[in-house]
Amino acid sequence: MKSDRRHFLKAAGVATIGVAAGATAAEANLLDSAKELLLGPKGAAPYPEAKKGARWAMVVDTRKLTAESMEKMIHACNHAHNIPLHPLRKKGDKYNKDEIKWIWEEEFENAFPGQMNEHLPPKVTQNEVLVLCNQCENPACVRVCPTKATFQREDGIVIMDFHRCIGCRFCMAACPYGSRSFNFKDPRIASLEINPEFPTRMKGVVEKCNFCAEQLDKGLQPHCVEACKNGELVFGDMNDPESEIRKVLRNNYTIRRKPEVGTQPQVYYIV
Amino acid sequence: MLEKALTGDSKYWGWIGFLLLLIAVGFGAYLRQFNEGLTLTGLSRDVSWGFYIAQLTYLVGVAASGVMLVMPYYLHDHKAFGKITILGEFMAVGAITMCLLFVLVDLGQPMRMMNMIIFPTPNSVLFWDMVVLNTYMFLNIIIGWTVLQNERKGIHYQKWVKVLIYLSIPFAVSIHTVTAFLYAGLPGRHFWLTAIMAPRFLAGAFCAGPAILLLIVFFLRRFTSFDAGDKAIKSLAVIITYAMILNVFFLLLELFTAFYSQLPGHMHAFVYLFAGLHGGHALVPVMWASVILAVIVLILLIPPKFRNNYNLLIPALIMLVLSTWLEKGVALVVAGFIPNPLEHVNEYAPTLNELVISVGVYAVGALIVTVLYKIAIGVKAEVGDAAH
């Protein structure tokens, strides 16, 4: 996002200079200093700790997942991202219509509807698995968004601009994984313990897992990965052949959710 | 010409007052939603579009149907439609206004609506939907108004109007095609992922829209000096009949593909609609009502003996509007979300607040159509073209 903004500002700067073609040297200097003020000193990277040229992906080792470990990871995410736990909209509702979730548990048959068969080993089908945004290489949500409020970064992360989203929910219809949530009501509820490190949202916008872009920009791992103790989640750079994730993918048979829809999910599962 | 809308009898003003009241109540309900958010609707994480977007879909069809009068009249010189073409164009204006309002009330952040123009995004179908809907609306306002004005002055409309009329024909097709693309291009929604979504929409539109128009024509014949003439009524009834046959045929094609192929994703939504799925069966009565009505409509419309009998034609048209509305204005949008991408069945029903807002939007459309029709009929009476 930062780099997008830089590009935009550069382009805007060039355009301005173009318009002011007849400007005096003093005015050109003024423009230069304005650019420096906006963009920082020349050559400074926006996030020096962030790994450059990365393409982020995740492996979920479902064999290692336990109810306890999943709960820890989900909690870490919910807390870090200020995700409210809304009560049921109406007493007696069969499901929580206001629910916001970025990473959650699902039965195997729900996470992988096309790959279920009744003779799979019980340890595969009876354990729940973690699901989250697949950070697709070819994301349908980005394709349909009418304002570019959801977009793909150079490192592959599909992310939201909460300030631009108009709440049309086209992306929710487009996502083949049900990974997106909408703020049907104000998310800043009293019971929310606000983490000042991450922005809260407002009602009427869509949100979803951002692969903890805010952590990656600091050179850290996503919160869910930090919360797991036994290597349940492996996170890393797909562009680096020597990264741990590439090794894990080389040595294990992995599946992805709904590969037939052509979105190229970047969350892989070992079952 | 606007002054024609400012004179009327007490019934006219009573109707206007009633619509204004509905609009005020709907606006009040909208203010509640604006304040508290879409949590006041029945929408959820799983069924994220519902009644509002379904009305948009249905009304785009009503708007597009104007072309069923424009094309025969202007391209094939079918003179019988000379008097009612203006009604089709003005109905399109009302319908598109409602479409745009239904999008507006569905937005989570309506104040940011202009982001669609500030950050134009050509890869989004919604962007194109906005472009074609607005263009079609302006085309119809300009064409209808200019042709009427010239008729009043007793002159033939200008050449540039003819250009706009020709332009409005592909635009009518495009508004419904692009609206179908909102659904038909989404990878994970099997129910909508069908190449005949746009033809289905058009077939449904070309029977439902003219049916509504014809009902209005019967109303005007009864209560005003305006008579469209039997020839126009009968030709329009034929168009409606063909379109309704196609509409039902297309639905049968969908059922064949889903159930003969036995692809689970393609069957699920139809099973949900016709029989219920995993304990969810809210739309079963809706879908069956639509299908049964459609069969009765076809029985009443296909034999000319029945179709030309107005005592049968009028109830057939009412049932047709109801049948297509239940299918497209209720079931089609909601069933695309059920089961959800994780194969859970979480159902949807609109809330009272949602329905009150929707009634308010319909009242805005009815008000626009009333005023425009009042003007059109006033002008026709003035130039002596009202009675048959």
Side-chain angles (χ1 to χ4, degrees):
Chain A
M1 177 180 162
K2 189 77 178 183
S3 103
D4 268 19
R5 194 159 64 200
R6 283 173 61 90
H7 284 146
F8 167 75
L9 287 170
K10 267 186 207 156
V14 169
T16 317
I17 290 165
V19 168
T24 62
E27 278 168 329
N29 276 338
L30 202 69
L31 271 172
D32 275 348
S33 43
K35 263 169 76 186
E36 197 168 299
L37 195 73
L38 285 165
L39 304 173
K42 265 181 199 160
Y47 297 107
E49 296 88 358
K51 185 169 179 185
K52 290 179 194 62
R55 202 308 168 197
W56 301 110
M58 182 186 277
V59 171
V60 181
D61 191 341
T62 63
R63 298 168 307 184
K64 294 180 181 166
L65 291 175
T66 64
E68 199 192 344
S69 67
M70 285 192 279
E71 199 174 314
K72 265 192 195 142
M73 297 175 217
I74 294 167
H75 178 77
C77 173
N78 285 354
H79 176 69
H81 298 120
N82 294 318
I83 293 168
L85 289 171
H86 289 302
L88 282 184
R89 204 180 280 175
K90 261 199 333 248
K91 256 186 200 161
D93 269 354
K94 283 189 194 130
Y95 66 109
N96 191 335
K97 295 184 174 176
D98 292 321
E99 190 175 25
I100 309 279
K101 47 187 180 186
W102 288 22
I103 178 168
W104 71 101
E105 296 166 49
E106 284 285 345
E107 301 283 344
F108 179 85
E109 61 173 319
N110 297 108
F112 300 96
Q115 303 180 54
M116 179 64 185
N117 84 60
E118 57 180 306
H119 302 294
L120 284 174
K123 66 176 179 358
V124 171
T125 57
Q126 284 172 5
N127 289 340
E128 295 200 303
V129 300
L130 276 178
V131 293
L132 63 157
C133 169
N134 277 304
Q135 306 293 342
C136 305
E137 214 168 284
N138 180 18
C141 52
V142 171
R143 190 155 62 241
V144 301
C145 177
T147 61
K148 304 184 192 82
T150 191
F151 60 96
Q152 195 170 27
R153 309 202 316 177
E154 274 171 28
D155 59 5
I157 296 182
V158 176
I159 201 167
M160 288 288 307
D161 181 343
F162 302 122
H163 300 280
R164 187 184 285 195
C165 175
I166 59 173
C168 71
R169 309 189 296 292
F170 202 179
C171 55
M172 296 177 77
C175 176
Y177 306 103
S179 291
R180 292 179 158 262
S181 306
F182 179 72
N183 286 288
F184 284 97
K185 63 203 295 192
D186 189 354
R188 292 156 191 159
I189 52 174
S191 62
L192 186 68
E193 276 178 55
I194 291 177
N195 164 24
E197 299 284 306
F198 195 81
T200 54
R201 273 74 68 195
M202 65 196 301
K203 70 170 187 289
V205 298
V206 172
E207 60 180 77
K208 68 167 197 76
C209 160
N210 63 351
F211 248 14
C212 285
E214 77 281 7
Q215 290 279 96
L216 300 173
D217 291 340
K218 287 188 264 180
L220 301 170
Q221 295 264 295
H223 290 289
C224 55
V225 180
E226 280 186 346
C228 65
K229 298 279 175 275
N230 301 314
E232 295 94 330
L233 304 180
V234 179
F235 186 87
D237 178 9
M238 296 291 273
N239 285 344
D240 175 3
E242 294 314 309
S243 63
E244 197 197 344
I245 189 165
R246 287 287 297 270
K247 280 180 202 156
V248 170
L249 288 170
R250 263 200 300 276
N251 296 328
N252 295 276
Y253 178 74
T254 48
I255 58 173
R256 295 189 286 181
R257 293 174 64 201
K258 299 191 186 176
E260 72 277 9
V261 296
T263 48
Q264 302 298 340
Q266 292 306 305
V267 177
Y268 299 77
Y269 290 84
I270 303 173
V271 292
Chain B
M1 293 191 291
L2 211 51
E3 74 279 1
K4 301 261 178 224
L6 298 176
T7 52
D9 55 16
S10 58
K11 269 185 203 154
Y12 172 72
W13 287 113
W15 172 242
I16 297 278
F18 173 67
L19 290 177
L20 288 174
L21 183 73
L22 291 183
I23 293 167
V25 174
F27 186 69
Y30 179 67
L31 287 182
R32 274 191 70 205
Q33 182 190 295
F34 185 83
N35 227 12
E36 289 180 45
L38 286 158
T39 185
L40 290 188
T41 68
L43 297 168
S44 65
R45 197 181 183 283
D46 288 319
V47 185
S48 44
W49 282 341
F51 200 74
Y52 298 147
I53 295 298
Q55 301 320 297
L56 154 79
T57 309
Y58 190 75
L59 290 167
V60 168
V62 172
S65 73
V67 79
M68 286 290 100
L69 298 162
V70 169
M71 211 150 58
Y73 179 59
Y74 289 107
L75 286 191
H76 301 280
D77 202 24
H78 186 63
K79 295 219 163 47
F81 285 169
K83 262 162 54 180
I84 53 171
T85 301
I86 184 83
L87 300 185
E89 287 158 351
F90 281 169
M91 190 167 80
V93 175
I96 300 236
T97 309
M98 288 189 269
C99 291
L100 296 173
L101 285 174
F102 272 116
V103 174
L104 184 70
V105 298
D106 187 69
L107 290 183
Q109 281 292 332
M111 304 297 275
R112 296 182 188 164
M113 179 179 56
M114 285 301 163
N115 280 4
M116 285 185 64
I117 291 161
I118 301 171
F119 309 108
T121 310
N123 50 275
S124 173
V125 181
L126 203 55
F127 170 77
W128 290 108
D129 212 29
M130 173 196 71
V131 171
V132 292
L133 282 175
N134 280 295
T135 310
Y136 187 65
M137 181 168 76
F138 284 113
L139 282 175
N140 276 289
I141 293 175
I142 295 167
I143 294 167
W145 196 263
T146 319
V147 169
L148 197 64
Q149 212 160 33
N150 289 339
E151 194 176 329
R152 193 184 191 191
K153 291 181 196 150
I155 55 175
H156 195 266
Y157 52 81
Q158 300 84 342
K159 265 213 178 99
W160 63 267
V161 182
K162 191 93 181 174
V163 174
L164 294 187
I165 289 166
Y166 287 153
L167 198 62
S168 79
I169 293 169
F171 262 97
V173 178
S174 79
I175 58 167
H176 223 19
T177 304
V178 175
T179 306
F181 285 175
L182 288 178
Y183 304 101
L186 306 179
R189 307 281 176 185
H190 300 284
F191 183 54
W192 297 335
L193 192 71
T194 162
I196 64 162
M197 190 59 104
R200 257 181 90 190
F201 273 25
L202 287 166
F206 293 162
C207 58
I212 294 172
L213 191 83
L214 208 43
L215 287 169
I216 296 174
V217 162
F218 279 118
F219 174 86
L220 295 177
R221 193 165 144 120
R222 175 96 188 259
F223 295 102
T224 73
S225 64
F226 184 85
D227 184 356
D230 286 327
K231 198 169 172 220
I233 291 174
K234 283 176 182 167
S235 326
L236 201 52
V238 171
I239 290 175
I240 292 168
T241 307
Y242 276 112
M244 184 63 181
I245 292 170
L246 281 177
N247 188 38
V248 172
F249 176 61
F250 286 156
L251 182 67
L252 293 173
L253 293 183
E254 297 277 20
L255 289 170
F256 169 81
T257 302
F259 289 99
Y260 194 80
S261 72
Q262 293 282 302
L263 282 175
H266 286 267
M267 290 191 295
H268 279 156
F270 283 109
V271 172
Y272 170 70
L273 282 175
F274 282 102
L277 191 69
H278 301 321
H281 34 64
L283 288 179
V284 175
V286 169
M287 200 60 204
W288 278 109
S290 169
V291 167
I292 292 167
L293 285 169
V295 172
I296 300 172
V297 166
L298 288 183
I299 293 170
L300 290 177
L301 283 185
I302 293 173
K305 206 167 78 180
F306 293 166
R307 187 175 64 236
N308 291 331
N309 177 347
Y310 293 165
N311 291 328
L312 292 177
L313 180 60
I314 293 173
L317 293 174
I318 295 171
M319 284 188 277
L320 187 152
V321 172
L322 199 60
S323 167
T324 49
W325 182 76
L326 288 173
E327 192 219 332
K328 220 197 290 175
V330 181
L332 184 119
V333 171
V334 176
F337 291 101
I338 301 170
N340 79 357
L342 295 136
E343 305 219 332
H344 296 294
V345 172
N346 287 326
E347 295 196 275
Y348 159 83
T351 59
L352 183 64
N353 204 69
E354 206 172 349
L355 293 175
V356 171
I357 292 173
S358 302
V359 168
V361 173
Y362 269 106
V364 172
L367 184 68
I368 290 171
V369 172
T370 303
V371 167
L372 290 177
Y373 277 19
K374 184 79 174 39
I375 293 169
I377 290 164
V379 169
K380 300 249 175 202
E382 196 183 288
V383 300
D385 187 30
H388 191 59

